[in-house]
Amino acid sequence: MARITTYFAASSDASLESVCNALQARLSLPDFYFDCHDSWRYASANSNAIAINVTRASDSHTIETWMPDCPKGVNFQIIAEFDSEPDGLDAHLRESLGTKAVRYASLRA
């Protein structure tokens, strides 16, 4: 079965750490690995069921330049890769970010 990579974007006041901690608890993920680049920080965690990458930019226009279908005015991007989408993924993202995450692209590997 081909892996599916799905992209989400959101505008949230939440910290990167709080979002990652919430996703770790909700999706039974191991600890996130954190790093930074220019004006954005990112973190990733992988389990057998799902790989998650969460990026938080310091502004609301950087992320929209990365992919053509990305919504404008966002400061978070979440990339989720899985064989089968975890139940309630949209709700887990909404609860972790404190706002709705817009699904804007899905690719099959």
Side-chain angles (χ1 to χ4, degrees):
M1 175 184 285
R3 297 271 289 176
I4 301 166
T5 303
T6 302
Y7 295 81
F8 300 87
S11 180
S12 174
D13 291 331
S15 71
L16 179 63
E17 290 80 5
S18 68
V19 171
C20 292
N21 289 339
L23 288 172
Q24 182 178 12
R26 287 179 172 89
L27 296 170
S28 301
L29 292 165
D31 290 342
F32 274 79
Y33 166 79
F34 290 84
D35 205 346
C36 62
H37 181 77
D38 292 332
S39 65
W40 43 278
R41 295 180 59 223
Y42 61 95
S44 58
N46 301 298
S47 72
N48 290 334
I50 189 168
I52 293 272
N53 180 290
V54 182
T55 300
R56 187 185 199 286
S58 60
D59 59 53
S60 60
H61 60 272
T62 296
I63 292 173
E64 70 190 49
T65 66
W66 295 346
M67 289 186 65
D69 295 332
C70 183
K72 297 197 180 311
V74 299
N75 64 333
F76 271 92
Q77 176 178 260
I78 299 92
I79 303 170
E81 184 179 289
F82 42 78
D83 292 327
S84 176
E85 183 170 328
D87 290 339
L89 181 58
D90 289 299
H92 293 316
L93 292 173
R94 184 180 61 251
E95 292 163 3
S96 300
L97 290 159
T99 190
K100 181 180 179 179
V102 176
R103 185 183 300 240
Y104 68 92
S106 258
L107 311 168
R108 288 194 181 269

